[in-house]
Structure formats: C-alpha cells, structure tokens
Amino acid sequence: MRFVFVFALLFVGCLSSPEWWEDATFYQIYPRSFVDSDGDGVGDLKGISSKLEYLKEIGVTATWLSPIFKSPMADFGYDVSNFFEIDPIFGTMADFDELIEKSKEVGVKIILDFVPNHSSDECEYFEKSVESDPEYKDFYVWHPGKLIDGIRHPPSNWVSVFGGSTWTWNEKRQEYYLHQFLAKQPDFNFRNPKVRENFKAILKFWLDKGVYGFRIDAVPHIFEKLNEDGSWPDEPRNDWNNDPQSYDYLDHIYTKDQHETLDVMYEWRAFMDSYKNDNGGETRVILAEAYSPIEILDQYFSNSTHSGSQIPFNFGLMSLSGYSTAKDVENSVTYWMDVMWKKHKVANWVLGNHDNPRIYDRFGAHKIDVVNILLSSLPGTTVTYYGEELGMHNVKTECTEVSCDDRDGERTPMQWNDKLSGGFSTNPNPWLPLADDYKVNNVKNQRKTARSSFNIYKSLQKLKRTEAFKNFKDDSSWAYGALTEQIFHVKRSSSKDGYLILINMGDKIETYNFPENFFKPGIKDLEYHVVTERSSHYSGEKFQITNKLHLLPFEAVVMKWETPVV
Ligand SMILES: *[C@@H]1O[C@H](CO)[C@@H](O)[C@H](O)[C@H]1NC(C)=O
Ligand SMILES: CC(=O)N[C@H]1CO[C@H](CO)[C@@H](O)[C@@H]1O
Ligand SMILES: [Ca+2]
Ligand SMILES: [Ca+2]
C-alpha cells in the first residue's frame, strides 16, 4: 500500500512540470513563402515537409501554418471556400497526410490556422445562404437594412477592418450581409447552433488527421452586438478620425470582444479537452489571435469556472521599437506578468507575424539578436515568424497581378541559400521577389557563421530545454527587469546552475556593478555562454562578479554560473 502511495505522489510531482505548450517554441510558417516544391513559384505542403528537419534543428516545438484550405485567395487563404479541403496551390490531402506523418517522425507538431469569423463568398455555405436554403439560411448575418424616407440604408454605421461599410447588399437575396473584413469575406452567424456544430466538425476533422491544435484567427470579431428587436446598434464616433471610410472612424464597442465570444472560446476548449480525453495523447492547444486589452485576454484564457485559449497571443512586445529602453521592455513584460502570470502561470511572447513589418524594420538591423534573445529568455512560450531567425527584412513590393497587399513586404520567400530564388523555388520568378540580400543572408551561410542570428537563435532554443529554463513554474527560478535605463536582464536558474541574460537596448556603452546580493552566496564568477556578433567577449571566457560589467551598444550576452555545493 505504502508503495502505491509513494508512486502516486511521484506522479503528482510529475504533473506539476510544464506541459509541452507552456514553454514551447512556436514557429509561424506562411506556406506561400516557405518552400516551393514544384516550381510554380508558390510555396506548398511538400515544401514544408522537406524542411521539417530544419525546424527540428533550430529547436522548434510546433509550427503553425497560415491557412492552407481551399480558397479563392482574395485574402490569401483567410477567405476559406471549403474548410475540409486543401487548396490545390498548396497540394493535396495526401500531401497533408504525409506532412503529418513526417512531423511525427521528426518530432515537430503541426498547428493549423482556423478562420471561424468568416468564409469566402465563394464558399458553398454562403452560396446556399444567398438562396435561402433552409439549412444555411441563417449561417451568415443578414439584414434587410433600414428604410429612411423610402431610401434603403445599411443596418448600422459599422466600418470594416479594411475600410468601407461592413454591410454589402446582395441582389439575389435582397438583403445586406455583414463582413468585418473584405466584402468577399462574409461573417458567420455564431448565434446559430448549426454554425457552432459545423465548426466543431471542422475541428474534429483536422484533429483526427493529427494536428496538435489551432491558431484562431480574428477572435475579437466573432460576435457583433445584436439588439433585442433584431436591429444592430450604431457605434459611436472617434473624434480624432474624420474619414467615414476608415476603421478608426468608430469606437468598436459593438463589433469587438463581445461577451458571447467567450462562450464559443470555452466551448472550443471543452471540445479540444474532451477530444484529448477520448483519444489520449498530449494536450491540444488553442492559440488565439486577439489584439485586445489584458483584461480581455485574461478572460479568453479562462474565467473561474471555464477554460479557453491556452495561448491568447501576447502582442505587447510588438508595440516596442528601436527606441525602446530597457525600462520600456520591463513595463511591457510586467503588463502581461502582473495579470496572466500571477493568475494563471502562463506567458507567451510574440514579436512578429504576417500582418506586421519584420523585426529588422521595426527595431533596426542591429537589434535582431537582441530582440530574439529577449523573446526566448523570458519564461513561457516563444512565438517566431519564419525568417526572423535569420533577421530577414521587409521588401518594398510592387503590386502584381498575383498580389497587391501592403503586407506583402513581410511575406517574401524564405532565404535558404545563395542559389536561384534563394533555394525557395526553381522558378526564377516566385510569387513575391526575394529580398536583395539573400545571396549573403541565408540559412546556408548563417549556419556556417559562428555568431550569426541563426546560431544565436538556435543556442537560445537549446537553453530553453535546460533544467534552469524548464524550472520556470517555480517563481523563484527566474527574475527579470531593467538594471539601468538601458540594460535589461533575465535570470533563470535551477538548483544546479543558472543563466544571466544581459541585453543593452541602447546605442551607447553601458557599465554596471552588480550589487552584493545579486547572486546566490558562493557564486564568484560567470562564464560567457552566448554572445552577439559584435561582442568583445568569447564563449567560455570568465567574468568575476566583483568586476565592472561593460556592454557595447546593442550587445547581448548569456552568462552561466554553477551553484556551489555547500
Ligand atoms: C464563465 O463563463 C461561462 C460562459 O460564458 C459562464 O456560463 C459562467 O457563468 C462564467 N463563470 C463565471 C464565474 O463568471
Ligand atoms: C490582424 C489580422 O487581421 N489578422 C488576420 C485576421 O483576419 C483577416 C481576415 O481573415 C486576415 O486578413 C488577417 O491577416
Ligand atoms: Ca508550389
Ligand atoms: Ca463576426
């Protein structure tokens, strides 16, 4: 009996160690731009399959793929026309199955993008809804509009995210339909239980195929406020914007973060958890894209009785820039930690995606490693957009027949080597041009270069798997903060050893004397472990803690200590 009891205790002990997603490294792939396997100039699933070992090499736990579903590509796959099919441009279902198969062999989990807010107007559901097919009649949000002095007006003053009214008149059905994004992206009606069931069927379909979770697109936009009489309330004006076509013209109190959105989020989580219970295996995760205040993200995570998204993306660090000081970083980190860590012991750090300019462009070339090191040093989950491990930069793109999107600049092909089209494709004209520096700045070169962004990134992912980093559920195992206006530090430790990460955010040399109690008693020196390109130190070099510390402009270092045995 006692034996069993001890065993049970051990088991409970194991449960408190982090789950796979809690300190995972997620890597976002924009499939059009990763690898093109058949030379048509557009990236595809076979291409991704061929690079899973690469992801493993740099220490990625899971990769989330921007949409690969059947789509007319009015918004590059964020306009899905069939949620159960792969778009031929990316390959076939067999290619997808192969990708999953291979991902299991290699040990990199696959996460899919899930776009529940809307479909394409070319989706069969929408076509049937237009025809008032009884099954699909209320799948979308329809309204006949308001008659004022005999003239028909849209049901409300709402403006879409991409500009212009959210309401588009449909001749056939003789009603307006709602779209928070493009007119080609009609919003689903999530008040219809059939829609909710349909989405669970979609989740199940892909879970059955072997995906480990979903990144849910545009979460805050899922519900809009509906008056009891079936009308839609006008939103108030923002007095600082005078363009009625602009999204910022209105204060989005009725079209963002409505309470019902939480219900669906909790419903999806319950579904994922029950799926896990029925099918065994590891936790399936929900990554939620919500540009919302922390109080709302807190609720997307859970309320006191229900759980939601494990990883509501933390976009806080994205609002920093090249001018941000260590104090700014500290404030941004604390904004999250004060609420989300204190309440739930979770954290995630995002610094880029397909909707925002790259780190190079937001922070400056010299800050790529600084920012990547910061992202991976903090306790919790790291989220990296493809190519950021190389420090790829935005490209000024011209409108082409294929694409004319102001976000194209951060979606250019991955730079694998110095060959034709950077090894992305055998096609000399990929769907977007490569950055002009690809002959120098590519995976092949950076792999060989000691302090390259690639190798620094890789070292940090390795560190994330050490005991000192793995120990993060214990609050006393880490610390962070600004030591001076410009030096940001993170400390991570286990009982055996620990790491001190020091980052100079500024463009001047910084010096610092460690106060007496900064290290545990008995620690006398540290060893440089990772250093950035222009550092004057080398890995293996010792540092006496009583010495003055010097950091060059934008220098970041990781130093290691061994805890003395007492
Ligand atoms: C949590 O949210 C669910 C779903 O919205 C709701 O039914 C429940 O009452 C909430 N719990 C609390 C304590 O507010
Ligand atoms: C930030 C954002 O809007 N991200 C995605 C949200 O959904 C729209 C429409 O599906 C996409 O265009 C965006 O990329
Ligand atoms: Ca292709
Ligand atoms: Ca909606």
Side-chain angles (χ1 to χ4, degrees), residues 72-84:
M73 305 284 168
D75 189 13
F76 286 129
Y78 285 98
D79 49 326
V80 180
S81 58
N82 190 319
F83 291 84
F84 298 97

PDB file of all heavy atoms in Angstrom, residues 72-84:
ATOM      1  N   PRO A  72     -10.418  31.134 -52.780  1.00  0.00           N
ATOM      2  CA  PRO A  72     -10.155  31.941 -53.988  1.00  0.00           C
ATOM      3  C   PRO A  72      -9.001  32.934 -53.777  1.00  0.00           C
ATOM      4  O   PRO A  72      -8.629  33.653 -54.695  1.00  0.00           O
ATOM      5  CB  PRO A  72     -11.480  32.669 -54.226  1.00  0.00           C
ATOM      6  CG  PRO A  72     -12.296  32.517 -53.000  1.00  0.00           C
ATOM      7  CD  PRO A  72     -11.696  31.448 -52.140  1.00  0.00           C
ATOM      8  N   MET A  73      -8.432  32.992 -52.566  1.00  0.00           N
ATOM      9  CA  MET A  73      -7.244  33.795 -52.259  1.00  0.00           C
ATOM     10  C   MET A  73      -7.449  35.298 -52.431  1.00  0.00           C
ATOM     11  O   MET A  73      -6.545  36.008 -52.852  1.00  0.00           O
ATOM     12  CB  MET A  73      -6.032  33.344 -53.118  1.00  0.00           C
ATOM     13  CG  MET A  73      -5.702  31.879 -52.992  1.00  0.00           C
ATOM     14  SD  MET A  73      -4.858  31.513 -51.430  1.00  0.00           S
ATOM     15  CE  MET A  73      -4.952  29.724 -51.410  1.00  0.00           C
ATOM     16  N   ALA A  74      -8.645  35.774 -52.067  1.00  0.00           N
ATOM     17  CA  ALA A  74      -8.852  37.229 -52.072  1.00  0.00           C
ATOM     18  C   ALA A  74      -8.082  37.822 -50.897  1.00  0.00           C
ATOM     19  O   ALA A  74      -7.674  38.970 -50.923  1.00  0.00           O
ATOM     20  CB  ALA A  74     -10.329  37.564 -51.962  1.00  0.00           C
ATOM     21  N   ASP A  75      -7.902  37.040 -49.831  1.00  0.00           N
ATOM     22  CA  ASP A  75      -7.110  37.481 -48.680  1.00  0.00           C
ATOM     23  C   ASP A  75      -6.123  36.361 -48.337  1.00  0.00           C
ATOM     24  O   ASP A  75      -5.932  35.997 -47.185  1.00  0.00           O
ATOM     25  CB  ASP A  75      -8.035  37.808 -47.504  1.00  0.00           C
ATOM     26  CG  ASP A  75      -7.297  38.475 -46.337  1.00  0.00           C
ATOM     27  OD1 ASP A  75      -6.134  38.897 -46.533  1.00  0.00           O
ATOM     28  OD2 ASP A  75      -7.869  38.554 -45.242  1.00  0.00           O
ATOM     29  N   PHE A  76      -5.513  35.808 -49.395  1.00  0.00           N
ATOM     30  CA  PHE A  76      -4.515  34.741 -49.252  1.00  0.00           C
ATOM     31  C   PHE A  76      -4.862  33.663 -48.254  1.00  0.00           C
ATOM     32  O   PHE A  76      -4.099  33.343 -47.351  1.00  0.00           O
ATOM     33  CB  PHE A  76      -3.140  35.318 -48.994  1.00  0.00           C
ATOM     34  CG  PHE A  76      -2.579  35.906 -50.243  1.00  0.00           C
ATOM     35  CD1 PHE A  76      -2.080  37.180 -50.270  1.00  0.00           C
ATOM     36  CD2 PHE A  76      -2.605  35.161 -51.404  1.00  0.00           C
ATOM     37  CE1 PHE A  76      -1.603  37.713 -51.456  1.00  0.00           C
ATOM     38  CE2 PHE A  76      -2.130  35.681 -52.589  1.00  0.00           C
ATOM     39  CZ  PHE A  76      -1.633  36.960 -52.608  1.00  0.00           C
ATOM     40  N   GLY A  77      -6.019  33.085 -48.437  1.00  0.00           N
ATOM     41  CA  GLY A  77      -6.383  31.930 -47.638  1.00  0.00           C
ATOM     42  C   GLY A  77      -7.174  32.267 -46.393  1.00  0.00           C
ATOM     43  O   GLY A  77      -7.722  31.383 -45.748  1.00  0.00           O
ATOM     44  N   TYR A  78      -7.216  33.553 -46.031  1.00  0.00           N
ATOM     45  CA  TYR A  78      -8.078  33.943 -44.904  1.00  0.00           C
ATOM     46  C   TYR A  78      -9.522  34.125 -45.394  1.00  0.00           C
ATOM     47  O   TYR A  78     -10.355  34.698 -44.706  1.00  0.00           O
ATOM     48  CB  TYR A  78      -7.541  35.186 -44.198  1.00  0.00           C
ATOM     49  CG  TYR A  78      -6.343  34.845 -43.336  1.00  0.00           C
ATOM     50  CD1 TYR A  78      -5.051  35.054 -43.785  1.00  0.00           C
ATOM     51  CD2 TYR A  78      -6.511  34.246 -42.094  1.00  0.00           C
ATOM     52  CE1 TYR A  78      -3.947  34.700 -43.014  1.00  0.00           C
ATOM     53  CE2 TYR A  78      -5.419  33.877 -41.318  1.00  0.00           C
ATOM     54  CZ  TYR A  78      -4.142  34.106 -41.784  1.00  0.00           C
ATOM     55  OH  TYR A  78      -3.067  33.739 -41.020  1.00  0.00           O
ATOM     56  N   ASP A  79      -9.767  33.653 -46.609  1.00  0.00           N
ATOM     57  CA  ASP A  79     -11.116  33.613 -47.164  1.00  0.00           C
ATOM     58  C   ASP A  79     -11.342  32.170 -47.629  1.00  0.00           C
ATOM     59  O   ASP A  79     -11.079  31.829 -48.769  1.00  0.00           O
ATOM     60  CB  ASP A  79     -11.253  34.605 -48.322  1.00  0.00           C
ATOM     61  CG  ASP A  79     -10.128  34.496 -49.348  1.00  0.00           C
ATOM     62  OD1 ASP A  79      -8.971  34.195 -48.968  1.00  0.00           O
ATOM     63  OD2 ASP A  79     -10.402  34.689 -50.544  1.00  0.00           O
ATOM     64  N   VAL A  80     -11.785  31.328 -46.727  1.00  0.00           N
ATOM     65  CA  VAL A  80     -11.863  29.894 -46.986  1.00  0.00           C
ATOM     66  C   VAL A  80     -13.150  29.560 -47.747  1.00  0.00           C
ATOM     67  O   VAL A  80     -14.223  30.028 -47.384  1.00  0.00           O
ATOM     68  CB  VAL A  80     -11.834  29.103 -45.658  1.00  0.00           C
ATOM     69  CG1 VAL A  80     -11.907  27.610 -45.916  1.00  0.00           C
ATOM     70  CG2 VAL A  80     -10.590  29.460 -44.855  1.00  0.00           C
ATOM     71  N   SER A  81     -13.020  28.759 -48.799  1.00  0.00           N
ATOM     72  CA  SER A  81     -14.238  28.351 -49.508  1.00  0.00           C
ATOM     73  C   SER A  81     -14.602  26.905 -49.186  1.00  0.00           C
ATOM     74  O   SER A  81     -15.735  26.487 -49.391  1.00  0.00           O
ATOM     75  CB  SER A  81     -14.110  28.555 -51.017  1.00  0.00           C
ATOM     76  OG  SER A  81     -13.017  27.821 -51.513  1.00  0.00           O
ATOM     77  N   ASN A  82     -13.651  26.129 -48.684  1.00  0.00           N
ATOM     78  CA  ASN A  82     -14.003  24.805 -48.159  1.00  0.00           C
ATOM     79  C   ASN A  82     -13.057  24.455 -47.025  1.00  0.00           C
ATOM     80  O   ASN A  82     -11.855  24.329 -47.219  1.00  0.00           O
ATOM     81  CB  ASN A  82     -13.944  23.745 -49.263  1.00  0.00           C
ATOM     82  CG  ASN A  82     -14.542  22.429 -48.773  1.00  0.00           C
ATOM     83  OD1 ASN A  82     -14.324  22.016 -47.635  1.00  0.00           O
ATOM     84  ND2 ASN A  82     -15.309  21.784 -49.640  1.00  0.00           N
ATOM     85  N   PHE A  83     -13.658  24.320 -45.840  1.00  0.00           N
ATOM     86  CA  PHE A  83     -12.862  24.136 -44.626  1.00  0.00           C
ATOM     87  C   PHE A  83     -12.315  22.717 -44.484  1.00  0.00           C
ATOM     88  O   PHE A  83     -11.560  22.435 -43.566  1.00  0.00           O
ATOM     89  CB  PHE A  83     -13.694  24.497 -43.391  1.00  0.00           C
ATOM     90  CG  PHE A  83     -13.993  25.969 -43.270  1.00  0.00           C
ATOM     91  CD1 PHE A  83     -15.067  26.546 -43.940  1.00  0.00           C
ATOM     92  CD2 PHE A  83     -13.183  26.783 -42.489  1.00  0.00           C
ATOM     93  CE1 PHE A  83     -15.342  27.907 -43.815  1.00  0.00           C
ATOM     94  CE2 PHE A  83     -13.441  28.147 -42.361  1.00  0.00           C
ATOM     95  CZ  PHE A  83     -14.532  28.706 -43.030  1.00  0.00           C
ATOM     96  N   PHE A  84     -12.750  21.818 -45.342  1.00  0.00           N
ATOM     97  CA  PHE A  84     -12.320  20.419 -45.251  1.00  0.00           C
ATOM     98  C   PHE A  84     -11.357  20.040 -46.371  1.00  0.00           C
ATOM     99  O   PHE A  84     -11.014  18.885 -46.515  1.00  0.00           O
ATOM    100  CB  PHE A  84     -13.532  19.477 -45.315  1.00  0.00           C
ATOM    101  CG  PHE A  84     -14.504  19.668 -44.181  1.00  0.00           C
ATOM    102  CD1 PHE A  84     -15.640  20.453 -44.353  1.00  0.00           C
ATOM    103  CD2 PHE A  84     -14.288  19.045 -42.955  1.00  0.00           C
ATOM    104  CE1 PHE A  84     -16.541  20.621 -43.303  1.00  0.00           C
ATOM    105  CE2 PHE A  84     -15.195  19.211 -41.900  1.00  0.00           C
ATOM    106  CZ  PHE A  84     -16.315  20.002 -42.086  1.00  0.00           C
TER     107      PHE A  84
END
